[in-house]
PDB file of all heavy atoms in Angstrom:
ATOM      1  N   GLN A   1       0.794  -1.229   0.000  1.00  0.00           N
ATOM      2  CA  GLN A   1       0.000   0.000   0.000  1.00  0.00           C
ATOM      3  C   GLN A   1       0.828   1.281   0.000  1.00  0.00           C
ATOM      4  O   GLN A   1       0.384   2.291  -0.548  1.00  0.00           O
ATOM      5  CB  GLN A   1      -0.963  -0.002   1.189  1.00  0.00           C
ATOM      6  CG  GLN A   1      -2.060  -1.015   0.997  1.00  0.00           C
ATOM      7  CD  GLN A   1      -3.103  -0.995   2.078  1.00  0.00           C
ATOM      8  OE1 GLN A   1      -3.920  -1.880   2.124  1.00  0.00           O
ATOM      9  NE2 GLN A   1      -3.093  -0.015   2.952  1.00  0.00           N
ATOM     10  N   ALA A   2       2.007   1.269   0.606  1.00  0.00           N
ATOM     11  CA  ALA A   2       2.803   2.499   0.629  1.00  0.00           C
ATOM     12  C   ALA A   2       3.093   2.990  -0.794  1.00  0.00           C
ATOM     13  O   ALA A   2       2.802   4.155  -1.118  1.00  0.00           O
ATOM     14  CB  ALA A   2       4.092   2.293   1.420  1.00  0.00           C
ATOM     15  N   PRO A   3       3.649   2.137  -1.693  1.00  0.00           N
ATOM     16  CA  PRO A   3       3.853   2.629  -3.066  1.00  0.00           C
ATOM     17  C   PRO A   3       2.547   2.828  -3.826  1.00  0.00           C
ATOM     18  O   PRO A   3       2.433   3.764  -4.631  1.00  0.00           O
ATOM     19  CB  PRO A   3       4.718   1.544  -3.718  1.00  0.00           C
ATOM     20  CG  PRO A   3       4.500   0.321  -2.908  1.00  0.00           C
ATOM     21  CD  PRO A   3       4.246   0.797  -1.511  1.00  0.00           C
ATOM     22  N   LEU A   4       1.558   1.972  -3.598  1.00  0.00           N
ATOM     23  CA  LEU A   4       0.300   2.104  -4.330  1.00  0.00           C
ATOM     24  C   LEU A   4      -0.407   3.413  -4.008  1.00  0.00           C
ATOM     25  O   LEU A   4      -0.877   4.129  -4.910  1.00  0.00           O
ATOM     26  CB  LEU A   4      -0.624   0.925  -4.022  1.00  0.00           C
ATOM     27  CG  LEU A   4      -0.319  -0.394  -4.737  1.00  0.00           C
ATOM     28  CD1 LEU A   4      -1.273  -1.482  -4.262  1.00  0.00           C
ATOM     29  CD2 LEU A   4      -0.419  -0.223  -6.255  1.00  0.00           C
ATOM     30  N   ILE A   5      -0.512   3.743  -2.727  1.00  0.00           N
ATOM     31  CA  ILE A   5      -1.220   4.960  -2.344  1.00  0.00           C
ATOM     32  C   ILE A   5      -0.485   6.192  -2.864  1.00  0.00           C
ATOM     33  O   ILE A   5      -1.110   7.171  -3.308  1.00  0.00           O
ATOM     34  CB  ILE A   5      -1.411   5.017  -0.816  1.00  0.00           C
ATOM     35  CG1 ILE A   5      -2.422   3.935  -0.383  1.00  0.00           C
ATOM     36  CG2 ILE A   5      -1.902   6.389  -0.366  1.00  0.00           C
ATOM     37  CD1 ILE A   5      -2.601   3.810   1.111  1.00  0.00           C
ATOM     38  N   GLN A   6       0.847   6.159  -2.833  1.00  0.00           N
ATOM     39  CA  GLN A   6       1.600   7.284  -3.402  1.00  0.00           C
ATOM     40  C   GLN A   6       1.339   7.400  -4.907  1.00  0.00           C
ATOM     41  O   GLN A   6       1.201   8.500  -5.445  1.00  0.00           O
ATOM     42  CB  GLN A   6       3.097   7.089  -3.146  1.00  0.00           C
ATOM     43  CG  GLN A   6       3.485   7.248  -1.678  1.00  0.00           C
ATOM     44  CD  GLN A   6       4.942   6.929  -1.454  1.00  0.00           C
ATOM     45  OE1 GLN A   6       5.812   7.723  -1.747  1.00  0.00           O
ATOM     46  NE2 GLN A   6       5.204   5.738  -0.924  1.00  0.00           N
ATOM     47  N   ARG A   7       1.257   6.273  -5.587  1.00  0.00           N
ATOM     48  CA  ARG A   7       0.986   6.282  -7.029  1.00  0.00           C
ATOM     49  C   ARG A   7      -0.411   6.829  -7.307  1.00  0.00           C
ATOM     50  O   ARG A   7      -0.616   7.637  -8.213  1.00  0.00           O
ATOM     51  CB  ARG A   7       1.137   4.870  -7.583  1.00  0.00           C
ATOM     52  CG  ARG A   7       1.037   4.795  -9.115  1.00  0.00           C
ATOM     53  CD  ARG A   7       1.124   3.356  -9.584  1.00  0.00           C
ATOM     54  NE  ARG A   7       1.080   3.291 -11.032  1.00  0.00           N
ATOM     55  CZ  ARG A   7       2.142   3.240 -11.817  1.00  0.00           C
ATOM     56  NH1 ARG A   7       3.348   3.242 -11.285  1.00  0.00           N
ATOM     57  NH2 ARG A   7       2.022   3.184 -13.124  1.00  0.00           N
ATOM     58  N   TRP A   8      -1.371   6.385  -6.505  1.00  0.00           N
ATOM     59  CA  TRP A   8      -2.736   6.862  -6.705  1.00  0.00           C
ATOM     60  C   TRP A   8      -2.846   8.355  -6.378  1.00  0.00           C
ATOM     61  O   TRP A   8      -3.609   9.075  -7.010  1.00  0.00           O
ATOM     62  CB  TRP A   8      -3.697   6.056  -5.835  1.00  0.00           C
ATOM     63  CG  TRP A   8      -3.725   4.596  -6.196  1.00  0.00           C
ATOM     64  CD1 TRP A   8      -3.369   4.023  -7.381  1.00  0.00           C
ATOM     65  CD2 TRP A   8      -4.122   3.519  -5.343  1.00  0.00           C
ATOM     66  NE1 TRP A   8      -3.515   2.658  -7.329  1.00  0.00           N
ATOM     67  CE2 TRP A   8      -3.979   2.310  -6.080  1.00  0.00           C
ATOM     68  CE3 TRP A   8      -4.569   3.418  -4.029  1.00  0.00           C
ATOM     69  CZ2 TRP A   8      -4.273   1.055  -5.552  1.00  0.00           C
ATOM     70  CZ3 TRP A   8      -4.871   2.179  -3.492  1.00  0.00           C
ATOM     71  CH2 TRP A   8      -4.725   1.017  -4.255  1.00  0.00           C
ATOM     72  N   PHE A   9      -2.101   8.790  -5.389  1.00  0.00           N
ATOM     73  CA  PHE A   9      -2.097  10.217  -5.054  1.00  0.00           C
ATOM     74  C   PHE A   9      -1.588  11.047  -6.233  1.00  0.00           C
ATOM     75  O   PHE A   9      -2.155  12.092  -6.573  1.00  0.00           O
ATOM     76  CB  PHE A   9      -1.214  10.446  -3.826  1.00  0.00           C
ATOM     77  CG  PHE A   9      -1.106  11.881  -3.410  1.00  0.00           C
ATOM     78  CD1 PHE A   9      -2.093  12.480  -2.644  1.00  0.00           C
ATOM     79  CD2 PHE A   9      -0.008  12.656  -3.776  1.00  0.00           C
ATOM     80  CE1 PHE A   9      -2.002  13.805  -2.259  1.00  0.00           C
ATOM     81  CE2 PHE A   9       0.092  13.982  -3.395  1.00  0.00           C
ATOM     82  CZ  PHE A   9      -0.904  14.555  -2.635  1.00  0.00           C
ATOM     83  N   SER A  10      -0.509  10.566  -6.873  1.00  0.00           N
ATOM     84  CA  SER A  10       0.094  11.327  -7.971  1.00  0.00           C
ATOM     85  C   SER A  10      -0.705  11.224  -9.262  1.00  0.00           C
ATOM     86  O   SER A  10      -0.360  11.863 -10.260  1.00  0.00           O
ATOM     87  CB  SER A  10       1.526  10.843  -8.225  1.00  0.00           C
ATOM     88  OG  SER A  10       1.537   9.521  -8.732  1.00  0.00           O
ATOM     89  N   ALA A  11      -1.783  10.424  -9.277  1.00  0.00           N
ATOM     90  CA  ALA A  11      -2.618  10.338 -10.476  1.00  0.00           C
ATOM     91  C   ALA A  11      -3.250  11.683 -10.813  1.00  0.00           C
ATOM     92  O   ALA A  11      -3.592  11.954 -11.968  1.00  0.00           O
ATOM     93  CB  ALA A  11      -3.705   9.277 -10.282  1.00  0.00           C
ATOM     94  N   ASP A  12      -3.414  12.522  -9.792  1.00  0.00           N
ATOM     95  CA  ASP A  12      -3.893  13.883 -10.020  1.00  0.00           C
ATOM     96  C   ASP A  12      -2.680  14.770 -10.291  1.00  0.00           C
ATOM     97  O   ASP A  12      -1.831  14.940  -9.406  1.00  0.00           O
ATOM     98  CB  ASP A  12      -4.638  14.377  -8.784  1.00  0.00           C
ATOM     99  CG  ASP A  12      -5.227  15.768  -8.987  1.00  0.00           C
ATOM    100  OD1 ASP A  12      -4.900  16.416  -9.993  1.00  0.00           O
ATOM    101  OD2 ASP A  12      -6.010  16.199  -8.122  1.00  0.00           O
ATOM    102  N   PRO A  13      -2.535  15.325 -11.496  1.00  0.00           N
ATOM    103  CA  PRO A  13      -1.349  16.129 -11.822  1.00  0.00           C
ATOM    104  C   PRO A  13      -1.122  17.294 -10.863  1.00  0.00           C
ATOM    105  O   PRO A  13       0.009  17.746 -10.689  1.00  0.00           O
ATOM    106  CB  PRO A  13      -1.637  16.634 -13.242  1.00  0.00           C
ATOM    107  CG  PRO A  13      -2.629  15.659 -13.796  1.00  0.00           C
ATOM    108  CD  PRO A  13      -3.466  15.222 -12.634  1.00  0.00           C
ATOM    109  N   GLY A  14      -2.163  17.772 -10.203  1.00  0.00           N
ATOM    110  CA  GLY A  14      -2.001  18.899  -9.299  1.00  0.00           C
ATOM    111  C   GLY A  14      -1.787  18.512  -7.854  1.00  0.00           C
ATOM    112  O   GLY A  14      -1.758  19.377  -6.974  1.00  0.00           O
ATOM    113  N   ALA A  15      -1.636  17.208  -7.579  1.00  0.00           N
ATOM    114  CA  ALA A  15      -1.539  16.752  -6.191  1.00  0.00           C
ATOM    115  C   ALA A  15      -0.219  17.127  -5.533  1.00  0.00           C
ATOM    116  O   ALA A  15      -0.140  17.327  -4.323  1.00  0.00           O
ATOM    117  CB  ALA A  15      -1.734  15.231  -6.131  1.00  0.00           C
ATOM    118  N   GLY A  16       0.865  17.190  -6.308  1.00  0.00           N
ATOM    119  CA  GLY A  16       2.171  17.478  -5.732  1.00  0.00           C
ATOM    120  C   GLY A  16       3.041  16.243  -5.661  1.00  0.00           C
ATOM    121  O   GLY A  16       2.705  15.178  -6.174  1.00  0.00           O
ATOM    122  N   ASP A  17       4.202  16.391  -5.012  1.00  0.00           N
ATOM    123  CA  ASP A  17       5.185  15.310  -4.907  1.00  0.00           C
ATOM    124  C   ASP A  17       4.652  14.212  -3.988  1.00  0.00           C
ATOM    125  O   ASP A  17       4.387  14.461  -2.810  1.00  0.00           O
ATOM    126  CB  ASP A  17       6.502  15.862  -4.357  1.00  0.00           C
ATOM    127  CG  ASP A  17       7.619  14.826  -4.395  1.00  0.00           C
ATOM    128  OD1 ASP A  17       7.348  13.666  -4.758  1.00  0.00           O
ATOM    129  OD2 ASP A  17       8.768  15.185  -4.066  1.00  0.00           O
ATOM    130  N   PRO A  18       4.508  12.977  -4.485  1.00  0.00           N
ATOM    131  CA  PRO A  18       3.953  11.911  -3.646  1.00  0.00           C
ATOM    132  C   PRO A  18       4.942  11.350  -2.637  1.00  0.00           C
ATOM    133  O   PRO A  18       4.552  10.658  -1.692  1.00  0.00           O
ATOM    134  CB  PRO A  18       3.567  10.836  -4.669  1.00  0.00           C
ATOM    135  CG  PRO A  18       4.554  11.023  -5.778  1.00  0.00           C
ATOM    136  CD  PRO A  18       4.788  12.510  -5.860  1.00  0.00           C
ATOM    137  N   TYR A  19       6.254  11.593  -2.825  1.00  0.00           N
ATOM    138  CA  TYR A  19       7.250  10.959  -1.966  1.00  0.00           C
ATOM    139  C   TYR A  19       7.132  11.392  -0.510  1.00  0.00           C
ATOM    140  O   TYR A  19       7.545  10.675   0.394  1.00  0.00           O
ATOM    141  CB  TYR A  19       8.662  11.249  -2.487  1.00  0.00           C
ATOM    142  CG  TYR A  19       9.012  10.472  -3.727  1.00  0.00           C
ATOM    143  CD1 TYR A  19       8.975  11.073  -4.984  1.00  0.00           C
ATOM    144  CD2 TYR A  19       9.378   9.135  -3.651  1.00  0.00           C
ATOM    145  CE1 TYR A  19       9.295  10.368  -6.126  1.00  0.00           C
ATOM    146  CE2 TYR A  19       9.698   8.412  -4.797  1.00  0.00           C
ATOM    147  CZ  TYR A  19       9.656   9.030  -6.032  1.00  0.00           C
ATOM    148  OH  TYR A  19       9.973   8.315  -7.158  1.00  0.00           O
ATOM    149  N   GLY A  20       6.561  12.569  -0.283  1.00  0.00           N
ATOM    150  CA  GLY A  20       6.373  13.014   1.092  1.00  0.00           C
ATOM    151  C   GLY A  20       5.453  12.101   1.886  1.00  0.00           C
ATOM    152  O   GLY A  20       5.548  12.025   3.111  1.00  0.00           O
ATOM    153  N   LEU A  21       4.546  11.403   1.186  1.00  0.00           N
ATOM    154  CA  LEU A  21       3.650  10.479   1.885  1.00  0.00           C
ATOM    155  C   LEU A  21       4.405   9.314   2.525  1.00  0.00           C
ATOM    156  O   LEU A  21       3.919   8.698   3.470  1.00  0.00           O
ATOM    157  CB  LEU A  21       2.602   9.918   0.914  1.00  0.00           C
ATOM    158  CG  LEU A  21       1.515  10.876   0.425  1.00  0.00           C
ATOM    159  CD1 LEU A  21       0.618  10.174  -0.579  1.00  0.00           C
ATOM    160  CD2 LEU A  21       0.698  11.401   1.586  1.00  0.00           C
ATOM    161  N   TYR A  22       5.591   9.011   1.987  1.00  0.00           N
ATOM    162  CA  TYR A  22       6.359   7.891   2.547  1.00  0.00           C
ATOM    163  C   TYR A  22       6.819   8.200   3.967  1.00  0.00           C
ATOM    164  O   TYR A  22       6.998   7.293   4.779  1.00  0.00           O
ATOM    165  CB  TYR A  22       7.554   7.575   1.652  1.00  0.00           C
ATOM    166  CG  TYR A  22       8.136   6.201   1.889  1.00  0.00           C
ATOM    167  CD1 TYR A  22       7.362   5.062   1.731  1.00  0.00           C
ATOM    168  CD2 TYR A  22       9.463   6.041   2.277  1.00  0.00           C
ATOM    169  CE1 TYR A  22       7.880   3.803   1.945  1.00  0.00           C
ATOM    170  CE2 TYR A  22      10.001   4.785   2.491  1.00  0.00           C
ATOM    171  CZ  TYR A  22       9.206   3.670   2.324  1.00  0.00           C
ATOM    172  OH  TYR A  22       9.738   2.416   2.551  1.00  0.00           O
ATOM    173  N   ALA A  23       7.018   9.491   4.266  1.00  0.00           N
ATOM    174  CA  ALA A  23       7.350   9.877   5.640  1.00  0.00           C
ATOM    175  C   ALA A  23       6.200   9.529   6.576  1.00  0.00           C
ATOM    176  O   ALA A  23       6.399   8.989   7.669  1.00  0.00           O
ATOM    177  CB  ALA A  23       7.667  11.367   5.708  1.00  0.00           C
ATOM    178  N   ALA A  24       4.958   9.817   6.138  1.00  0.00           N
ATOM    179  CA  ALA A  24       3.786   9.464   6.951  1.00  0.00           C
ATOM    180  C   ALA A  24       3.675   7.957   7.112  1.00  0.00           C
ATOM    181  O   ALA A  24       3.304   7.462   8.181  1.00  0.00           O
ATOM    182  CB  ALA A  24       2.522  10.023   6.300  1.00  0.00           C
TER     183      ALA A  24
END
């Protein structure tokens, strides 16, 4: 889920850098 959720987050071009979610 960690990589999947980051990938799904970045599916929106305006969402921003997904790598910060890995800290959470």
Side-chain angles (χ1 to χ4, degrees):
Q1 289 185 190
L4 282 177
I5 291 175
Q6 290 175 78
R7 187 183 182 95
W8 297 338
F9 178 82
S10 67
D12 183 350
D17 187 355
Y19 286 102
L21 289 177
Y22 198 59

